[in-house]
Amino acid sequence: MALTIVIRSGDAKSPPKVTFDSPRVVVGRGEGCEVRLPDPSVSHRHASIRQRGTDYIVLDEGSTNGTFVGPVRLSPQAPRVLKSGDLIRIGRIWLEVLIEQALPTQNGAMATREIALGLVAEALAAQGEAGGAVVSVIAGPDAGKQLIIAELTRHYVLGRAADADLSLEDEDASRRHAEIYRRGDQIWVRDLGSKNGSQLGDVTLRRDESRAWPLGATLRIGANDLRYQDPIAEALAELEQAADEHMAEEDSVDPPIAEDPPVDVSPSAPASVASQRGGAPVVAVPKRGPRPARRKPGWSSTDLMVAFVAIAVLTVSILGIIWLFRGD
């Protein structure tokens, strides 16, 4: 039997899920986890789900905020046998566990990475920040135009066509010149058989060739130069490096409940009613203030003062040494 983990965080009509056929699945905030939950209440290595004979068990791996099956908090390293449909709370995130006959998700590492990025994008959008990578025309006839790559699986078309996702006025661009899309934390570019070609950094793309777009590299389409910024990947990296957030008892999150049909959510209710429940709150992404401005090259008044004092001390020391030798 395969193990499917459904992430019941967020308001998606189809909650993200990933299916595993492996003896151990680690859940946490760290990059090496099979299920990555980008929330500061989740420890870097929070819990693991393991096969034990024909059963699956869950263990807390010494997390900061604990692992819950339904309303029951697990002791660290104390195994709990899971039933299909059980709800597990990891920090403030609720998961549903399904033990079923199913094919494992292809490229599970990429899938779980995309799920993490999707949750971060949703959280950023809820905070009013850009919910995707921002592609900007930095030079050329269309300078200033932007495109937000908000959907992880969508292909965005660039060109002179009126219905292009980024419509360009540059006459050197074809109607459907190129497309860009996201796979995991990487933006990809594909030339669509354009008349004048597409150049990514120092490489000219062949017709229908796809190539990863390195952050900071310039994409040239006609006479336009484009670059992108990726606040989602930046936020995810910040979350992975952050310290655990300690949740107070009153900060605990109730299980996700569907409005229709009503469900018994009393403490005595079984945890296996997850299939009737809706989504839990969006994961918490720390608000990120403006980046500190880079220091301009040159000497500040403080630098000059320190240098002056240092020179004065050095001069006095040299004069003292000369005086001592002259005295001898």
Side-chain angles (χ1 to χ4, degrees), residues 138-199:
I138 60 172
D142 295 284
K145 289 188 176 182
Q146 290 186 331
L147 172 67
I148 297 178
I149 310 300
E151 299 177 40
L152 297 182
T153 58
R154 180 178 169 186
H155 289 225
Y156 293 80
V157 175
L158 289 65
R160 286 191 298 107
D163 60 348
D165 297 291
L166 181 58
S167 184
L168 304 173
E169 299 177 8
D170 178 19
E171 295 182 355
D172 291 332
S174 299
R175 286 180 53 79
R176 292 174 57 86
H177 194 107
E179 67 178 12
I180 53 180
Y181 55 95
R182 181 168 208 141
R183 288 292 180 270
D185 57 353
Q186 184 66 63
I187 303 296
W188 289 74
V189 181
R190 184 167 77 94
D191 186 86
L192 297 176
S194 61
K195 179 180 178 181
N196 294 313
S198 307
Q199 185 166 342

Side-chain angles (χ1 to χ4, degrees), residues 295-311:
R295 182 177 173 181
K296 294 182 179 180
W299 289 71
S300 67
S301 58
T302 302
D303 294 333
L304 292 172
M305 184 178 296
V306 171
F308 176 78
V309 171
I311 292 171

Side-chain angles (χ1 to χ4, degrees), residues 6-178:
V6 185
I7 299 173
R8 291 293 182 184
S9 183
D11 299 321
K13 294 181 180 179
S14 299
K17 62 182 180 179
V18 59
T19 300
F20 301 94
D21 185 14
S22 57
R24 185 181 66 176
V25 175
V26 177
V27 181
R29 184 156 44 97
E31 186 175 359
C33 296
E34 283 76 26
V35 177
R36 298 172 65 187
L37 303 176
D39 188 285
S41 67
V42 178
S43 296
H44 289 82
R45 182 185 175 91
H46 196 109
S48 62
I49 300 175
R50 308 180 186 186
Q51 277 186 322
R52 190 174 66 180
T54 58
D55 293 328
Y56 280 97
I57 61 171
V58 59
L59 296 94
D60 181 86
E61 298 282 355
S63 65
T64 297
N65 294 307
T67 301
F68 296 75
V69 178
V72 179
R73 179 168 181 159
L74 305 183
S75 299
Q77 298 300 328
R80 168 76 176 248
V81 177
L82 293 172
K83 303 184 302 294
S84 186
D86 274 350
L87 282 176
I88 302 176
R89 180 158 71 84
I90 306 290
R92 64 167 58 87
I93 307 301
W94 284 95
L95 307 176
E96 178 186 1
V97 174
L98 301 176
I99 302 170
E100 57 186 357
Q101 292 284 358
L103 294 174
T105 302
Q106 291 186 348
N107 198 344
M110 177 70 75
T112 194
R113 176 79 174 176
E114 290 185 352
I115 288 173
L117 290 165
L119 292 171
V120 171
E122 186 177 349
L124 289 176
Q127 294 177 182
E129 298 186 45
V134 181
V135 178
S136 303
V137 183
I138 60 172
D142 295 284
K145 289 188 176 182
Q146 290 186 331
L147 172 67
I148 297 178
I149 310 300
E151 299 177 40
L152 297 182
T153 58
R154 180 178 169 186
H155 289 225
Y156 293 80
V157 175
L158 289 65
R160 286 191 298 107
D163 60 348
D165 297 291
L166 181 58
S167 184
L168 304 173
E169 299 177 8
D170 178 19
E171 295 182 355
D172 291 332
S174 299
R175 286 180 53 79
R176 292 174 57 86
H177 194 107

Side-chain angles (χ1 to χ4, degrees), residues 261-283:
V263 179
D264 178 14
V265 292
S266 63
S268 59
S272 58
V273 293
S275 60
Q276 305 175 48
R277 301 176 188 266
V282 176
V283 295

